[in-house]
């Protein structure tokens, strides 16, 4: 899987992409990350990439040309059009299900906006889908792009020790995860649930499923209702 991220802050993205599981996934060749500075594609002698909005109003709007040139540069490198995503608070809110689908692709181009956003014309020409990370507004698309790249990368083959690592987690099967415990067995007079020490795999699996249902019902009745409806 190859990610190309178009941003005004490539160093901000690289700082995250080079760390921890993402950095290891890259070093082991499971994913490639390329962060492109949109300013490098500006024809302006001051490398300007934004201008005032037509119709008036606050803030600045990112211009079409540098973004389009950056995208074309990547298309030429790949010799095909990557699946192109604009991180936007107006997009469809990201879900685990969508991340699983996106993890099947070979190439993803992620466009990060800034200021008041991006001239609609270039979005209409290059964007396949808009994705939001939640119903709130951030200053730029970098954090959302990193959230998206992270959630997709950990689903790619080989990145985690086994598929069980994510199949067992919250949201994968429509439930939230059961509680986790590690050593010591007793901490501040609180013991680990005894079933987890029993070595009885079926009982442990049953307990985890019950806990998963319980926490989902308490915290996310919407998910619980959807899950139980699907089991009827
Ligand atoms: N004026 C825009 C609006 O009201 O929809 C918001 C622009 S925001 C300040 C600047 C950039 O941050 C956006 O172009 C987008 O790339 C990114 N952004 C902000 N909130 C986001 C969110 N919830 N999900 C994804 N991207 C977001």
């Amino acid at each position: 899987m190859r990610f190309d991220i178009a941003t005004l802050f490539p160093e901000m993205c690289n700082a995250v992409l080079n760390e921890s599981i993402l950095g290891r996934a890259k070093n082991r060749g499971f994913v490639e990350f390329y962060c492109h500075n949109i300013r490098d594609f500006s024809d302006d002698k001051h490398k300007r990439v934004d201008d005032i909005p037509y119709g008036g109003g606050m803030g600045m709007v990112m211009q079409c040309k540098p973004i389009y040139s950056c995208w074309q540069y990547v298309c030429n490198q790949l010799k095909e059009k990557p699946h192109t995503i604009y991180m936007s608070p107006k997009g469809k809110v990201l879900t685990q299900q969508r991340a699983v689908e996106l993890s099947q692709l070979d190439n993803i181009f992620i466009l990060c906006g800034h200021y008041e956003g991006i001239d609609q014309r270039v979005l209409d020409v290059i964007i396949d889908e808009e994705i939001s990370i939640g119903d709130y507004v951030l200053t730029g698309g970098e954090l959302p792009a990193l959230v998206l790249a992270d959630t997709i990368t950990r689903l790619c083959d080989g990145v985690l020790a086994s598929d069980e690592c994510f199949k067992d987690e919250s949201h994968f099967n429509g439930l939230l995860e059961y509680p986790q415990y590690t050593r010591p067995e007793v901490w501040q007079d609180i013991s680990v649930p005894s079933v987890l020490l029993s070595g009885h795999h079926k009982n442990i699996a049953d307990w985890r499923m019950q806990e998963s249902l319980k926490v989902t019902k308490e915290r996310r009745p919407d998910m619980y209702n959807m899950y139980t409806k699907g089991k009827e």
Side-chain angles (χ1 to χ4, degrees), residues 43-54:
D43 293 335
D44 182 81
K45 64 174 187 240
H46 302 297
K47 297 288 169 204
R48 211 177 142 171
V49 292
D50 59 303
D51 212 326
I52 54 172
Y54 279 118

Side-chain angles (χ1 to χ4, degrees), residues 56-190:
M58 298 294 291
M60 304 297 272
V61 176
M62 289 174 73
Q63 295 169 299
C64 294
K65 199 269 158 191
I67 290 171
Y68 187 68
S69 297
C70 177
W71 181 75
Q72 272 198 316
Y73 170 81
V74 172
C75 291
N76 289 341
Q77 274 197 343
L78 296 173
K79 303 201 178 5
E80 64 178 357
K81 183 181 156 322
H83 185 71
T84 301
I85 299 171
Y86 172 42
M87 303 313 302
S88 162
K90 294 193 276 187
K92 232 176 168 175
V93 176
L94 181 61
T95 61
Q96 186 72 16
Q97 177 57 37
R98 188 65 193 130
V100 170
E101 289 159 8
L102 291 169
S103 72
Q104 308 303 313
L105 300 176
D106 292 331
N107 300 302
I108 295 181
F109 181 98
I110 307 178
L111 173 59
C112 306
H114 223 79
Y115 314 117
E116 281 311 308
I118 296 180
D119 187 316
Q120 186 63 39
R121 292 169 293 182
V122 70
L123 300 179
D124 290 343
V125 170
I126 70 169
I127 296 302
D128 295 308
E129 68 177 315
E130 297 194 11
I131 293 182
S132 164
I133 60 159
D135 292 341
Y136 42 81
V137 176
L138 295 146
T139 51
E142 287 70 23
L143 293 173
L146 293 168
V147 167
L148 181 64
D150 184 311
T151 193
I152 294 172
T153 297
R154 66 200 300 287
L155 297 169
C156 292
D157 280 347
V159 173
L160 300 183
S162 104
D163 286 4
E164 294 311 307
C165 298
F166 57 78
K167 287 192 171 160
D168 231 21
E169 283 180 318
S170 298
H171 298 288
F172 193 86
N173 63 355
L175 292 174
L176 301 178
E177 196 187 51
Y178 48 81
Q180 299 273 15
Y181 299 87
T182 186
R183 283 187 276 201
E185 260 179 59
V186 182
W187 176 78
Q188 293 202 354
D189 289 336
I190 311 168

Side-chain angles (χ1 to χ4, degrees), residues 7-8 10 35-43 47 49 65-66:
T7 165
L8 295 178
C35 298
H36 308 277
N37 192 336
I38 296 168
R39 275 188 211 289
D40 292 344
F41 297 88
S42 167
D43 293 335
K47 297 288 169 204
V49 292
K65 199 269 158 191

